[in-house]
Amino acid sequence: MKQAFLWILTGFLALTGFAAGQSPEMQNFDLSQISRWRPNNTFSKVEGTVLTTEVPEGSHTAQNWMEYEIDLTPYRSNVLTLAVKYRSFQVSRPPEDYNGIKFMLKFRPTPESSFTYPAVVQLYGTSDGWQWASFGAVIPKTATTGTLVMGLQNSHGKVQFDLATLRFGSLFSAADRVNLDWQVKYPERIANHRRQRGVMAPETIRYEHLKTLSDWNVNLVRAQLVRNWGAVGTETDLAEYDRWLNGKLDDLEKALEWAKEFGIKFVIDLHCLPGGRNTAGSMRMFSEEKYGDHFIEVWKRISRRFRNHPQIYAYNLVNEPLQFLPAPAGYDYWNLQRRAAEAIRKIDAETPIMIESNIADKAETYVYLSPLAMHNIIYKVHMYVPGAFTHQRLQGEGPVVTYPGMIEGEMWNKERIRKELQPVLEFQKRHNCKIYVGEFSAIRWAPGAERYLEDCISIFEEYGWDWTYHAFREWNGWSVEHTENPQDNEPAQTDTARKKVLLKYFKRNQR
């Protein structure tokens, strides 16, 4: 989570100008509403069902798009998700990742707050024909109106959107769940395993890292196999991907040998996946079968190499699944994890397997998550809510947001965090399963970050959940070893308040 990404959350929506429906299937834009689109420039127009923005070179420093006004009040406290097909022709690369081709919603969470801009990112260049793009936003209960935007910003070139493909809705719902009565069982060594409290590791783990973590009394490290985090269009050369991954696994094996000395166990986290992400923001393996098949083969290879290793605690199959569009049968975010787990079990019958929920493993999505009909499965969740607090001023600008306090129209405190995690607790009770919080954090300059961490961890402890803080010596924005001053990039000379919170709970560990 080095950068701020805008994840889609699914839900049933009623949006003025869109064809409403009760099905979880994505619904089509009401084409009778095309006349409501308005250009904010001279370079954009709608002909038939196609919205076109064509900006000549030299005129690309402006906002050149079409706008569509939306009444947000019908689905406050709900979710808006949108997808559309676009094609682009020589769109210049903008100076910012979030500009270029614009498919974006602009709205104020409260009448008094600054605008928020959920959108697709990193889109420019020439597309290979028509491609899907998708984005989404949680709509706070205090939001009123928003503006849907399509076109170009800070780029020249040509982009077209086919409004006949513009869709909204939900891919998944609680009504689709299976294995409702499944109760997870664990072998005694896992059921009675010591509590796990630790950190997310840097991309390359060194001996001195583990020595420091041992001094902190950490007993678990989530080891990420990662590169190109958040990028679009990477990891498509599978032979090259395998060469990279084999090198990362060699490095991991060295780190595991060091970990023996310190009594620290690892979660193997496949952070970078075959196929990477597509322009819709989804993981490509959820829509293109060759990447999904390779994902399963990768986990066969990993489990053969590390089965019975004494320092491996679990296999974390997918980091933060993102599926925004329908998948071929058996390749959606849930079934692909299921198939990989079944393949692993034929090789390694003992190591726990970790399953994540959709939309970056957010707690809200546990309302529609189904358990696998398998034992020795640990269910994983990430906690970065409210994002306006945890990720504030990530790009150096924006309002200062304090915790506890009013955030996006709601009072955020320990009880509000408890409410956010309630779907996970209910899942745990319903299926008798272990829960692991693989990532949680607040950016170091967020006022009240130490209180946020304390409230989160105290709830994890109350519920008996294992956890790893994000992150240790990865990027200093998340570092508890750096001060609250964003301009100060040197480690602090004394323990920060955030570090003291972690150390307090690490004292409870056994190794």
Side-chain angles (χ1 to χ4, degrees):
M1 297 266 317
K2 289 184 181 178
Q3 302 178 45
F5 296 103
L6 298 157
W7 313 124
I8 294 176
L9 302 177
T10 55
F12 295 104
L13 309 174
L15 174 61
T16 302
F18 288 76
Q22 297 304 311
S23 168
E25 298 292 330
M26 300 285 277
Q27 302 295 315
N28 292 330
F29 174 65
D30 181 356
L31 293 175
S32 70
Q33 302 294 318
I34 282 181
S35 63
R36 291 179 54 200
W37 287 90
R38 296 285 184 266
N40 76 337
N41 64 94
T42 60
F43 302 119
S44 298
K45 61 184 177 180
V46 175
E47 293 181 325
T49 66
V50 176
L51 186 160
T52 300
T53 297
E54 186 168 10
V55 180
E57 189 171 358
S59 301
H60 62 277
T61 58
Q63 301 171 347
N64 296 294
W65 57 50
M66 299 282 285
E67 298 181 345
Y68 181 89
E69 294 301 316
I70 298 172
D71 177 12
L72 299 179
T73 58
Y75 49 95
R76 287 171 168 172
S77 302
N78 211 319
V79 183
L80 167 63
T81 68
L82 293 167
V84 71
K85 281 191 173 181
Y86 78 98
R87 61 182 179 183
S88 58
F89 306 87
Q90 298 181 322
V91 173
S92 63
R93 182 170 185 168
E96 313 89 355
D97 283 346
Y98 50 86
N99 285 326
I101 296 172
K102 300 299 288 190
F103 181 35
M104 177 181 79
L105 180 66
K106 172 184 175 181
F107 70 96
R108 297 181 188 272
T110 69
E112 300 80 21
S113 64
S114 301
F115 281 104
T116 187
Y117 304 92
V120 297
V121 294
Q122 301 179 8
L123 286 189
Y124 54 89
T126 298
S127 65
D128 184 14
W130 289 99
Q131 303 285 323
W132 281 107
S134 184
F135 77 92
V138 178
I139 307 303
K141 62 183 179 181
T142 50
T144 56
T145 60
T147 303
L148 181 60
V149 168
M150 294 187 191
L152 295 174
Q153 183 173 7
N154 289 354
S155 291
H156 60 266
K158 179 179 176 180
V159 64
Q160 294 182 310
F161 298 92
D162 185 357
L163 298 179
T165 68
L166 182 57
R167 308 167 75 194
F168 82 101
S170 173
L171 291 177
F172 307 101
S173 80
D176 299 324
R177 290 176 299 163
V178 297
N179 306 326
L180 295 180
D181 298 325
W182 184 257
Q183 297 280 294
V184 185
K185 296 179 181 178
Y186 299 92
E188 183 177 353
R189 68 179 186 85
I190 298 300
N192 298 320
H193 199 283
R194 65 195 178 194
R195 286 292 306 281
Q196 301 287 293
R197 304 175 183 90
V199 297
M200 180 90 165
E203 294 183 16
T204 300
I205 302 173
R206 306 187 187 283
Y207 179 88
E208 55 267 27
H209 294 153
L210 296 176
K211 174 64 171 66
T212 297
L213 293 176
S214 177
D215 293 342
W216 290 11
N217 206 38
V218 161
N219 64 9
L220 185 68
V221 163
R222 183 169 177 249
Q224 54 179 328
L225 307 176
V226 64
R227 66 175 179 178
N228 300 323
W229 176 241
V232 172
T234 65
E235 323 312 330
T236 57
D237 183 337
L238 293 179
E240 190 278 332
Y241 174 89
D242 283 345
R243 289 192 293 272
W244 165 80
L245 181 61
N246 288 338
K248 293 295 289 185
L249 295 177
D250 290 343
D251 292 342
L252 177 62
E253 195 154 20
K254 293 176 185 176
L256 286 167
E257 289 304 305
W258 299 328
K260 288 180 182 179
E261 176 181 343
F262 302 112
I264 296 173
K265 291 199 172 184
F266 279 27
V267 171
I268 300 180
D269 158 33
L270 190 59
H271 219 79
C272 176
L273 299 161
R277 301 175 195 237
N278 58 29
T279 55
S282 295
M283 289 167 174
R284 198 178 294 271
M285 68 182 191
F286 300 143
S287 58
E288 299 181 46
E289 296 179 10
K290 69 176 181 179
Y291 298 118
D293 293 340
H294 200 78
F295 166 74
I296 295 172
E297 292 303 314
V298 162
W299 272 111
K300 288 180 181 178
R301 187 160 75 247
I302 293 173
S303 58
R304 286 192 191 102
R305 183 165 181 173
F306 294 102
R307 64 184 172 190
N308 302 322
H309 196 294
Q311 300 312 121
I312 296 296
Y313 181 63
Y315 302 130
N316 183 178
L317 300 185
V318 181
N319 179 70
E320 296 187 346
L322 293 168
Q323 184 192 343
F324 305 150
L325 297 170
Y331 288 84
D332 61 83
Y333 86 97
W334 187 85
N335 274 300
L336 204 50
Q337 289 185 89
R338 173 188 59 79
R339 292 170 58 203
E342 291 171 350
I344 290 170
R345 279 291 172 258
K346 294 178 181 178
I347 298 166
D348 183 343
E350 300 297 328
T351 304
I353 295 171
M354 290 180 170
I355 300 298
E356 296 196 24
S357 193
N358 195 25
I359 316 304
D361 203 21
K362 289 182 178 290
E364 304 99 302
T365 62
Y366 267 71
V367 299
Y368 61 67
L369 180 66
S370 298
L372 303 188
M374 297 175 64
H375 296 301
N376 204 15
I377 303 293
I378 296 171
Y379 292 86
K380 186 167 165 292
V381 67
H382 288 186
M383 180 61 185
Y384 293 101
V385 181
F389 171 74
T390 63
H391 285 62
Q392 64 183 277
R393 293 172 286 152
L394 190 63
Q395 307 297 338
E397 299 179 354
V400 175
V401 181
T402 301
Y403 175 92
M406 293 296 294
I407 304 174
E408 295 185 335
E410 288 191 80
M411 172 54 70
W412 275 88
N413 52 27
K414 182 175 180 179
E415 290 312 305
R416 181 60 183 85
I417 291 174
R418 188 186 302 277
K419 179 181 177 182
E420 187 71 20
L421 295 170
Q422 186 65 24
V424 185
L425 179 63
E426 291 175 357
F427 185 95
Q428 175 189 22
K429 291 179 177 178
R430 186 163 59 246
H431 301 296
N432 191 40
C433 62
K434 284 183 169 288
I435 300 294
Y436 164 55
V437 185
E439 293 184 27
F440 69 103
S441 198
I443 208 158
R444 64 182 170 98
W445 48 80
E450 72 282 0
R451 174 74 176 275
Y452 178 82
L453 297 182
E454 170 67 39
D455 287 351
C456 283
I457 295 173
S458 65
I459 293 172
F460 306 159
E461 293 287 313
E462 177 185 344
Y463 295 162
W465 297 352
D466 297 329
W467 51 268
T468 44
Y469 172 80
H470 185 279
F472 174 76
R473 296 183 184 175
E474 182 201 63
W475 173 57
N476 69 35
W478 305 116
S479 172
V480 298
E481 297 177 283
H482 288 71
T483 71
E484 291 71 33
N485 181 355
Q487 277 73 51
D488 185 358
N489 292 315
E490 295 300 320
Q493 297 302 305
T494 59
D495 287 348
T496 67
R498 290 164 291 114
K499 181 179 176 181
K500 289 178 180 178
V501 172
L502 295 186
L503 293 178
K504 179 180 78 171
Y505 287 102
F506 290 154
K507 286 181 180 179
R508 299 182 180 186
N509 282 338
Q510 299 176 341
R511 293 208 304 268

